[in-house]
Amino acid sequence: MQTIEQTLSAWMRESFTQAFPETTIHGISVVATNSEQFGDYQCNHAMAVAKLARKSPRQVAEVVLQHAGNHAAVERTEIAGPGFINIFIRREWLESALVLVDEDVRCGVPLVGHGKTVLLDYSSPNVAKPMHIGHIRSTVIGNALDRMHRFLGYHVLADNHLGDWGTQFGIMILGYRHYVNPDALSTEPVEELERVYVKSYERSRTDPAWLTFARQELVKLQAGDPENRELWQRFVELSLQEFDRIYRRLDVRFDLVRGESYYNQALPGVVDRLCSRGIARESEGATVAFLEEESLPPCIVRKSDGGYNYATTDLATIESRMSEFHPSKIVYVTDERQQLHFKQVFAIARRLGITADLQHIWFGLMRLPEGTFSTRQGNVIKLEKYLDEAETRALAVVQAGSPEMAPERQREVARAIGIGAVKYSDLSQNPQSVITFTWEKALSLEGNSAPYLQYAYARIASVQDKYRAQFPNTSLGHCVFRLEEAVERTLAIAIVRFPETVIKAAESYKPNILADYLYNLAATYSTFYQNVPFLKAPEGIRESRIRLCRVVANVLKQGLSLLGIETPERI
RNA sequence: GCGCCUGUAGCCUAAUGGACAAGGCAUCUGACUUCGGAUCAGAAGAUUACAGGUUCGACUCCUGUCAGGCGCGCCA
């Protein structure tokens, strides 16, 4: 099944080629108009062709439309402004397109990713540190990309690349031996591990002997010392248990959980290859890849003490993923601070002959109004606390709005709303914008927010029930759509744009495109709901409108599930 | 010092180089004794940081300036 955008783009492309075989340009397509007065889709390429063909843009558009002839989906076209070609969709065609969306469990979304493997690297918290609200963006954005790609038919491998290796474990082990409180460890393990780490780290800054001991512990760990190895294993397991609890709350699942330690054995081989192929060489005792051709600063792949860096691990990781899974894309979702790092790693990977499409999807850091988060200032907000707060606030609203609901059900609904609000506040904006965190903003339950969308969905569910109760013997299955009111047509256009929106959001790695779309759909529906009667409409019209409600509900549910947001039937 | 990113109404955000810059919050006016008022209809609010340039057309691309953030050979 093709999207409307694809269908009309092909039509225009063909028409341009026929009209101007000598001067056809690449990338001829249509886009959705930003205002209904300009039709439903527009093609903007007559202006560009006009220059090459030495004709006026409107003349070009005219000739193109002569060659275009009629299209089953198109009511009429017009030439406007400097040479825009505006396309108006035929109502009958729209009505039959709605039937297709209604009857398709995929809401008309094609499997454009079929046969392709994409590896997604996201969340990736550090072991022995609690997850805080800075981790939520990678997790929530990565998971939305995960869900969208899977839905489009890609073979997705979600990999949680834990920070489970590195120099901090020397300090960690030493601190654990001296400072750990067993009681605290059993009640709040990761919190206790962090406390121990911070204490040991602070001592290492003033006590040189302590730092030396810490280094020795690290060397022992890396040499495979059984005792240190076991401690390390314990840290990892305790952390994973806590992470899993959060992932369950967020409904996030990984196919692979391979921390940095997984690639340890491969590091010397990577450096050997880099050296033998002339990509890296000795410099001041370290092994360094020089990237002048890419105009990037040098990248250390082995320290002068023989240890390896993050870059080396990431290269080993890429090699391993390529040989085991053969992905066509590897996508990293991390914060903006790692832009340079990934530019370097990708440049080196290309020199090593890696051909997969490597993408770094970075997002802006989360800040507080008074500045950045820092452990030292003690203003870090723990992720679990954040989720608790979201659910608590949602519960108060549910209790006020639906007092007749059973308390157990209220809690369940509040959970879906609270978590949905948290996710939506991250997903509804461009990932690259810097976020200044405020409780009020993150947990907003009004306006452009997840609860608005969930509310629209629940109202439809309610309408469906009322309809079934009042008209028990009518089936919607074979009723025809009759788009009479202007807002119904607007709603129908919005509905059939779902497939192209999902594709665009996934391919540009911007979940906010889908979030925007869903908000617009829900807002259009709310206008319809508020201004057009349907249970009281005459038979026929009534069925058409109830069925329209049902399609909106299906698309909302499907779309929100691609963002990882639930849609309770009652809220 | 060099590099990357960001700058859009009071606040928060949107806009593959396309038409008059789109929403939300807050503010102000309204919504029938009919479908859930977490809603809807409407009002007001913008020199898209600033100055140049490219283009038929610039929030978007290029150059410079200012402001904020981040990064830059032995952290991850």
Side-chain angles (χ1 to χ4, degrees), chain A residues 434-448:
Chain A
V434 173
I435 288 191
T436 302
F437 180 86
T438 62
W439 286 103
E440 191 189 317
K441 194 182 5 154
L443 302 183
S444 159
L445 304 181
E446 288 174 350
N448 188 355

Side-chain angles (χ1 to χ4, degrees), chain A residues 88 137 151 264 475 550 571:
Chain A
F88 295 76
R137 299 204 82 186
F151 187 63
N264 257 329
S475 160
R550 184 172 79 187
I571 69 174

Side-chain angles (χ1 to χ4, degrees), chain A residues 486-502:
Chain A
V487 66
E488 292 183 273
R489 190 185 183 285
T490 308
L491 194 52
I493 288 283
I495 289 166
V496 298
R497 278 179 186 163
F498 179 62
E500 62 203 42
T501 306
V502 174

Side-chain angles (χ1 to χ4, degrees), chain A residues 175-221:
Chain A
Y176 183 87
R177 291 193 197 284
H178 288 79
Y179 298 132
V180 76
N181 173 342
D183 291 341
L185 192 69
S186 60
T187 53
E188 294 210 285
V190 178
E191 206 128 325
E192 175 60 8
L193 289 180
E194 190 196 33
R195 188 190 66 83
V196 163
Y197 172 79
V198 169
K199 199 161 176 189
S200 180
Y201 174 75
E202 277 166 5
R203 181 156 173 192
S204 73
R205 299 189 56 127
T206 53
D207 182 349
W210 187 266
L211 191 59
T212 308
F213 286 132
R215 288 212 175 106
Q216 285 167 0
E217 295 293 358
L218 179 66
V219 171
K220 276 163 70 183
L221 172 66

Side-chain angles (χ1 to χ4, degrees), chain A residues 12-20 24 28 43 45-46 49 64:
Chain A
M12 276 294 114
R13 207 153 36 238
E14 178 70 10
S15 309
F16 269 88
T17 308
Q18 282 181 20
F20 297 92
T24 296
I28 287 174
C43 179
H45 296 277
V49 170
V64 166

